[in-house]
């Protein structure tokens, strides 16, 4: 059974804090790594899709890095805001359109 | 572009009853997915269609779950009969056939089986 682990499970930070999460996945048979943000009562929204070792992607205050050789990806949020409160999911791609999701990191940002 | 449409948003049924969920993907998206997300777990793929053909249904409990995608567009997922452990959020997603295409999700259906 393929294991995709995310840490921490949950995180509570103050507005303005910077934070980061980890997604760990098998270092073999890598195809792609996806990050999604899932706000309560909304649909999961794609943040990044990364396919190359060393990839770094950025979207506003959120960025992600990828290390396929050691099997991890980091998601960074700079200067967290209350609207960043959500569950952040990573998904490991083992082949074309074959994704296995992690259990997510639940982020709460207090004003 | 219009997003992925799902209905209903919520459903409460008793065990052994049946239930059906509907999904309309983004126009032009060839691939459609149904995921089950149980509280505290990550989304688990139930079935994946490419156009109207099944690509992967290895984790679909076929004794009680069924799904179809007629004409390669809309899809329905049915549970009959439901069990308590089927309580979950059922997410529909679609994607194009580009290599780095992300999944586009609907709002999901929260199912409670009592």
């Amino acid at each position: 059974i393929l294991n995709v682990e995310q840490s921490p499970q949950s995180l509570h930070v103050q507005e303005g804090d910077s934070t980061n999460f980890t997604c760990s996945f098998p270092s073999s048979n890598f195809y792609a790594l996806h990050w999604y943000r899932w706000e309560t009562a909304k649909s999961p929204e794609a943040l990044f899709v990364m396919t190359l070792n060393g990839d770094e992607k950025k979207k506003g205050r959120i960025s992600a890095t990828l290390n396929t050789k050691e099997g991890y990806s980091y998601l960074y949020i700079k200067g967290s805001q209350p609207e960043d409160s959500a569950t952040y999911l990573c998904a490991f791609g083992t082949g074309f359109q074959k994704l296995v999701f992690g259990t997510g990191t639940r982020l709460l940002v207090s004003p | 572009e219009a997003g992925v449409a799902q209905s209903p948003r919520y459903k409460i049924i008793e065990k052994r009853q049946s239930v059906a969920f509907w999904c309309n993907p983004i126009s032009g998206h060839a691939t459609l997915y149904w995921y089950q997300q149980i509280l505290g777990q990550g989304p688990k793929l139930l079935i994946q269609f490419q156009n109207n053909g099944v690509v992967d249904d290895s984790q679909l409990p076929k004794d009680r779950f069924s799904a179809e995608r007629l004409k390669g567009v809309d899809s329905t997922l049915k549970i009959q009969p439901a069990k308590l452990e089927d309580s979950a959020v059922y997410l529909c997603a679609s994607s194009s056939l580009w290599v780095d295409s992300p999944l586009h999700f609907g709002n999901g259906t929260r199912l409670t089986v009592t």
Side-chain angles (χ1 to χ4, degrees):
Chain A
I1 295 178
L2 207 145
N3 211 21
V4 179
E5 295 185 357
Q6 290 190 245
S7 62
Q9 269 192 325
S10 62
L11 197 53
H12 185 185
V13 302
Q14 296 298 122
E15 183 175 356
D17 289 349
S18 292
T19 186
N20 66 85
F21 326 130
T22 305
C23 174
S24 301
F25 50 84
S27 54
S28 59
N29 296 324
F30 176 85
Y31 192 84
L33 196 286
H34 295 217
W35 280 101
Y36 293 85
R37 174 171 59 201
W38 192 0
E39 295 177 66
T40 302
K42 294 187 178 179
S43 57
E45 170 201 2
L47 291 172
F48 306 113
V49 177
M50 295 185 285
T51 57
L52 297 174
N53 184 42
D55 252 355
E56 291 189 22
K57 299 231 174 176
K58 189 174 179 183
K59 190 175 184 177
R61 295 179 292 99
I62 304 177
S63 60
T65 61
L66 177 67
N67 184 324
T68 61
K69 295 187 188 308
E70 296 183 37
Y72 65 83
S73 175
Y74 293 141
L75 188 78
Y76 300 92
I77 303 179
K78 186 177 176 182
S80 302
Q81 300 296 309
E83 58 264 31
D84 296 329
S85 297
T87 295
Y88 291 82
L89 291 165
C90 73
F92 171 63
T94 61
F96 180 61
Q97 296 193 326
K98 293 192 178 300
L99 293 177
V100 176
F101 279 85
T103 54
T105 292
R106 188 179 306 169
L107 174 66
L108 178 62
V109 183
S110 296
Chain B
E1 63 183 2
V4 176
Q6 274 191 260
S7 66
R9 285 298 303 272
Y10 305 94
K11 191 76 178 177
I12 300 174
I13 61 172
E14 294 181 352
K15 59 184 180 185
R16 291 187 288 273
Q17 287 187 323
S18 61
V19 65
F21 313 127
W22 173 82
C23 173
N24 184 248
I26 290 174
S27 177
H29 278 189
T31 309
L32 186 147
Y33 313 77
W34 283 103
Y35 284 91
Q36 178 194 59
Q37 198 248 348
I38 292 172
L39 192 63
Q41 300 179 19
K44 180 182 91 171
L45 180 69
L46 291 176
I47 190 166
Q48 178 180 344
F49 294 94
Q50 193 169 103
N51 297 310
N52 59 351
V54 175
V55 173
D56 186 351
D57 63 356
S58 57
Q59 298 190 93
L60 187 74
K62 297 180 185 66
D63 57 334
R64 299 184 301 106
F65 286 64
S66 64
E68 60 182 8
R69 188 182 185 195
L70 297 175
K71 300 180 182 177
V73 182
D74 292 18
S75 177
T76 55
L77 175 70
K78 295 179 183 177
I79 308 175
Q80 181 178 12
K83 292 185 176 181
L84 297 176
E85 59 260 36
D86 298 331
S87 295
V89 175
Y90 290 84
L91 289 164
C92 177
S94 69
S95 68
S96 70
L97 289 173
W98 291 104
V99 167
D100 59 353
S101 174
L103 271 58
H104 298 260
F105 286 90
N107 283 325
T109 297
R110 183 175 296 278
L111 173 68
T112 302
V113 182
T114 61

